[in-house]
Amino acid sequence: MTDNDYTYGDASHADARAPRVLTDISSRTWEHSADRAALAALRKLPMFDQVLRALFGFFGEKPIRLAFQANAVRVGPNQFPRIWELYCNVCDTLDAPETYPLFVSQNPVVNAGAYGMKEPFIILNSGTLALLTDEQVSYVLGHEAGHVMSDHVLYKTMTELLMQLAQLGFPIVGLAARAILVALLEWSRKSELSADRAGLLAIQEPDVVMSSMLKMAGGGKDEETSLPEFIRQAEEYRESGDLADQVFKVLNLLGQTHPFWVLRLSELRAWIEEGSYDRVLRGEYQRRGEPNPAYKEDLSQAADAYRTGAREFVDNMADAAKRVSGSFMDAFRK
């Protein structure tokens, strides 16, 4: 296999071709089956609703929003105007229902996040702007907009709060809440696979997306890294049909919120190569307001993607939550 075999499209004409506007696109178009199945199963965990209500009832929406935004600058026509233009283009391409508030935070870690409850917003770290090109930043913005449009932000915020509270030893994080945090982390990693697809659809340049993943995995400049070599590295994850699920199980133990970049790249390439990406660009995608496929179809697709790992995980978490369901409310009353 040559380097050209790893190229998608003609990168030399990337600037000349405007991305296709995906009018009325439904977030289900890009949502990974494992993401949907894990989230649906998460909502069925014992004590999940109680933990959710207690957590946000304790803090309140406005204080949470201000806590995330207080050390950041809101992006607009007069602040970070270049980023604002990139962001507006991304929202236009995804036909987002609105242009969600965007903030830049002085943080050297190359990352971004979508948070909120009823009023979602996006935080972009300054380290991301320092490392990535404009096109690569657009992918990140599309990725985060995808999280918002898929209604991920409530649970992403819940995950972040529970992680912080657990580190501080706060009594609200009893054993039941800890079990739910582990389940949230499992879902959160799989939600990244969905948002990666949204980021690709936002800029419609696969090589740009994969080069972004390369940079965020290892840093470095373009002249000292090789995308084809990174893709070859990612190919290891496709040598075995159940290897991806094994990796996710290891990440459960490590408490990671995101899967490895090489795994994400491998999953995205599989989505492209099976033809789903091209079908979307041809206009063959689900529109907002159209009926959703039956839930059992999601479970079937998830089984194909990760065998029975997701269901086994949920069963284990459900058993753990049942055993300690009383401990959370006892801790919260203290």
Side-chain angles (χ1 to χ4, degrees):
M1 184 172 286
T2 66
D3 286 1
N4 289 335
D5 292 324
Y6 290 113
T7 301
Y8 296 88
D10 187 350
S12 64
H13 297 293
D15 293 336
R17 185 181 65 79
R20 172 180 179 143
V21 175
L22 303 173
T23 305
D24 286 332
I25 189 170
S26 167
S27 61
R28 285 188 64 90
T29 301
W30 61 69
E31 286 167 2
H32 197 288
S33 55
D35 166 17
R36 292 197 299 264
L39 182 56
L42 171 65
R43 290 167 173 158
K44 296 180 180 179
L45 282 177
M47 296 297 295
F48 179 77
D49 286 341
Q50 291 94 320
V51 172
L52 181 65
R53 285 195 297 268
L55 186 64
F56 289 109
F58 182 81
F59 289 104
E61 179 173 3
K62 187 173 182 179
I64 289 176
R65 189 168 65 251
L66 292 177
F68 277 93
Q69 299 172 2
N71 197 32
V73 175
R74 182 159 183 172
V75 177
N78 299 318
Q79 292 193 127
F80 297 100
R82 177 176 59 86
I83 303 304
W84 177 249
E85 181 180 2
L86 296 175
Y87 181 51
C88 288
N89 290 338
V90 161
C91 290
D92 288 344
T93 300
L94 292 177
D95 196 22
E98 61 180 286
T99 304
Y100 314 104
L102 171 66
F103 297 81
V104 171
S105 175
Q106 173 64 17
N107 190 324
V109 177
V110 180
N111 202 359
Y115 306 102
M117 295 169 65
K118 294 180 180 179
E119 301 177 22
F121 57 90
I122 295 170
I123 302 288
L124 181 65
N125 288 358
S126 60
T128 306
L129 301 179
L131 180 66
L132 304 183
T133 66
D134 282 0
E135 282 188 312
Q136 292 167 342
V137 169
S138 292
Y139 151 67
V140 173
L141 294 171
H143 174 105
E144 299 304 332
H147 275 311
V148 177
M149 294 174 68
S150 289
D151 293 325
H152 289 163
V153 289
L154 177 63
Y155 303 111
K156 287 284 187 180
T157 306
M158 184 180 182
T159 304
E160 183 69 21
L161 290 174
L162 283 176
M163 288 182 65
Q164 295 297 325
L165 292 172
Q167 292 175 5
L168 294 173
F170 201 75
I172 193 173
V173 190
L175 291 178
R178 289 180 185 273
I180 288 171
L181 174 57
V182 174
L184 277 165
L185 290 170
E186 170 77 4
W187 161 76
S188 179
R189 289 187 293 272
K190 291 176 179 177
S191 75
E192 296 302 317
L193 306 179
S194 298
D196 285 340
R197 296 174 178 180
L200 170 59
L201 293 174
I203 66 170
Q204 298 168 21
E205 292 292 343
D207 284 351
V208 172
V209 173
M210 291 187 286
S211 66
S212 305
M213 294 179 170
L214 167 59
K215 280 188 176 180
M216 287 185 279
K221 301 177 181 178
D222 290 335
E223 59 268 23
E224 59 186 3
T225 56
S226 168
L227 178 58
E229 287 296 328
F230 188 59
I231 293 174
R232 290 189 184 96
Q233 179 183 343
E235 286 296 303
E236 297 176 10
Y237 288 87
R238 290 207 269 187
E239 292 178 357
S240 173
D242 60 353
L243 184 56
D245 195 39
Q246 294 174 23
V247 172
F248 273 105
K249 289 178 180 178
V250 172
L251 291 175
N252 282 341
L253 302 177
L254 299 178
Q256 298 292 309
T257 58
H258 291 59
F260 295 136
W261 282 108
V262 286
L263 174 57
R264 291 169 66 170
L265 187 146
S266 179
E267 286 289 321
L268 189 65
R269 288 188 71 224
W271 190 64
I272 295 171
E273 292 170 3
E274 72 185 16
S276 296
Y277 169 66
D278 285 335
R279 285 193 292 273
V280 174
L281 297 191
R282 290 198 301 266
E284 301 172 17
Y285 56 81
Q286 184 174 343
R287 268 67 176 177
R288 292 194 285 269
E290 292 180 352
N292 291 329
Y295 174 64
K296 64 181 181 181
E297 179 181 326
D298 284 348
L299 289 180
S300 176
Q301 292 174 354
D304 291 339
Y306 290 112
R307 303 291 178 93
T308 58
R311 288 196 295 269
E312 292 172 354
F313 171 81
V314 170
D315 289 343
N316 291 338
M317 286 299 98
D319 290 342
K322 287 177 182 177
R323 289 194 299 270
V324 298
S325 60
S327 64
F328 167 72
M329 297 310 295
D330 290 342
F332 183 65
R333 294 189 187 100
K334 292 180 180 179

